[in-house]
Amino acid sequence: MTDRPSAATLRRLERSSGALATQAVARMDEELPWFRTMPADQRSWVTLVAQAGLASLVEWCRHPGRPPRLTGEVFGAAPRELVRVVALKQTVDLIKITVETLEDHVTSVAEPGDEEMLRLAVLQFSREVAFATAHVYASFAESRGAWDARLEALLVDALVRGERSEELAGRAAALGWSAMNPVTVVVGPAPEGIADPHGAVRRAARGLRSEVLVGVHADELVVVLGGHEDLPAVVTRVAEEFGPGPVVYGPVVDGLGRAGDSAAAALAGRRAARAWPEAPRPVTADALLPERALDGDPLARAALRDEVAGPLHAAGSGVLETVRAVLASGGNLEASARAIFVHPNTVRYRLKRAAELTGLSATDPRGGWTLQVALALAHLDRDRSLWE
């Protein structure tokens, strides 16, 4: 800028900077409802930035050939936390009000004949401030994105390792998660030939308004979903973004503090899923209980004992005897009735009772298989309280 305000005008501007900044903040309070609700410390940060901006304008006018260092001179007056609490659009509104306040006082601040030059300097400087603002927010977004990615990777890794501490919820809160959201963990093959498998999964989950965390471990894609009333529907959509092979998701739990349970079940199901080639995709970890138990998963063995074998034994010898007879006959009810000397309707009634207790049908191939494994494992465990 070759034509600049006189030294006298700049001195008057410098002396008035404090009052002008105070008036600008007063206008912000009057015109911006969200600004009125800000805590006092954050409002004081805005005042500091306004004062620093006016001081930087004076220096810029005194040294027109020197490139302005606005990022440090202006925004360095406030802590970086201000960027976290004030959005970019809100910052633009603050700058606009500050510039308008200064323009309204050009006549009273400038020496006679300097009015247009000061007004032009304010307009040119406001453009430089706009560029500096964009730089500050872009730098913050870049550093925040890198930090969030590291925190997300640590969080998913902790779930994979079986960590179940309350710290998980705290880490997730830093990523914007609610503490008690329903959560499930999905595990499956990472897609091949895609540089960023995270992106497609995020878009799919957020398209259904679900919170999501993504991690890649070896060739496995681990996805944590939450904050949706129908998480199985979200899983079905997200599963489309995995590579070829089984996709398994764990039970829905109350929050990230228990997400380790869902992750453990999903990982165990993923390891055992190859034993059920016809499994649906995605498939629940609970649907893979027999395969998980055969693969040595103690959680699956305990679930089959407590949720299948135990209730059948507690229902009485008739129900258990009927289930065994139906399994032995390949699902033939008449043959089963003859084997245990009862009427076929009695067999049907007892099977209905068994289904109510376990959620499994002995005449269904998959249900029969699960019942067979559960009963066989119960015998192998030699639990005398159940069987002897």
Side-chain angles (χ1 to χ4, degrees):
M1 186 176 68
T2 55
D3 295 326
R4 63 183 186 274
S6 64
T9 294
L10 296 179
R11 285 195 296 272
R12 294 179 63 174
L13 177 60
E14 195 169 25
R15 288 195 298 270
S16 305
S17 60
L20 289 173
T22 300
Q23 291 184 43
V25 173
R27 283 186 61 175
M28 295 171 193
D29 187 78
E30 180 182 347
E31 299 179 18
L32 303 175
W34 59 266
F35 183 76
R36 291 194 293 271
T37 63
M38 291 179 66
D41 58 339
Q42 296 175 7
R43 289 161 60 95
S44 68
W45 295 344
V46 174
T47 303
L48 289 173
V49 172
Q51 292 175 340
L54 293 171
S56 185
L57 169 61
V58 173
E59 285 301 306
W60 185 65
C61 291
R62 284 175 175 164
H63 307 282
R66 191 192 74 177
R69 298 187 297 273
L70 300 183
T71 300
E73 293 175 352
V74 178
F75 296 100
R80 287 187 61 83
E81 285 79 0
L82 186 62
V83 183
R84 298 179 183 270
V85 298
V86 181
L88 176 58
K89 182 181 182 301
Q90 294 173 330
T91 302
V92 171
D93 291 337
L94 298 178
I95 294 172
K96 179 174 178 289
I97 289 177
T98 303
V99 171
E100 289 175 350
T101 302
L102 185 52
E103 287 179 332
D104 291 344
H105 291 80
V106 163
T107 303
S108 61
V109 172
E111 290 286 328
D114 273 359
E115 293 88 347
E116 289 304 316
M117 283 185 288
L118 180 57
R119 186 172 286 107
L120 178 61
V122 170
L123 292 176
Q124 291 177 328
F125 186 75
S126 65
R127 183 185 62 184
E128 299 293 341
V129 171
F131 283 124
T133 302
H135 175 75
V136 167
Y137 276 84
S139 298
F140 174 77
E142 182 177 359
S143 60
R144 177 58 189 267
W147 167 251
D148 284 355
R150 289 193 293 270
L151 183 58
E152 181 179 30
L154 289 172
L155 180 57
V156 174
D157 182 68
L159 292 175
V160 170
R161 289 186 286 103
E163 186 174 326
R164 292 173 173 79
S165 70
E166 291 301 321
E167 293 181 8
L168 295 177
R171 296 176 193 172
L175 295 171
W177 274 63
S178 301
M180 294 304 294
N181 278 336
V183 173
T184 187
V185 179
V186 191
V187 182
E192 299 177 358
I194 298 179
D196 180 23
H198 300 65
V201 170
R202 291 187 206 284
R203 287 189 295 271
R206 289 172 178 166
L208 295 177
R209 300 184 182 278
S210 172
E211 297 183 72
V212 58
L213 300 171
V214 189
V216 176
H217 289 259
D219 296 330
E220 298 288 294
L221 195 61
V222 181
V223 179
V224 185
L225 299 172
H228 196 281
E229 61 183 11
D230 188 4
L231 283 178
V234 181
V235 173
T236 299
R237 170 64 187 91
V238 169
E240 298 175 9
E241 307 302 331
F242 284 73
V247 176
V248 183
Y249 63 102
V252 175
V253 294
D254 290 337
L256 274 168
R258 295 187 54 207
D261 298 331
S262 183
L267 290 165
R270 168 66 179 153
R271 289 191 296 269
R274 62 181 180 272
W276 185 14
E278 300 80 16
R281 174 185 155 119
V283 61
T284 65
D286 285 349
L288 288 159
L289 281 176
E291 287 78 14
R292 289 168 51 193
L294 293 176
D295 193 44
D297 178 13
L299 294 176
R301 292 176 71 103
L304 290 173
R305 180 192 65 229
D306 298 340
E307 299 170 17
V308 179
L312 288 178
H313 185 272
S317 59
V319 173
L320 181 59
E321 178 187 36
T322 301
V323 169
R324 286 174 171 163
V326 171
L327 294 176
S329 68
N332 189 313
L333 300 189
E334 287 73 16
S336 303
R338 289 194 299 270
I340 58 177
F341 306 104
V342 297
H343 193 277
N345 285 342
T346 302
V347 172
R348 293 185 180 92
Y349 170 78
R350 291 176 178 176
L351 289 182
K352 181 180 179 181
R353 178 61 179 155
E356 291 172 349
L357 292 170
T358 65
L360 301 168
S361 171
T363 58
D364 172 73
R366 184 68 193 173
W369 160 245
T370 304
L371 288 166
Q372 281 184 313
V373 172
L375 296 176
L377 289 173
H379 279 293
L380 290 174
D381 286 342
R382 299 180 184 277
D383 191 334
R384 297 182 181 275
S385 65
L386 284 180
W387 308 110
E388 296 184 9

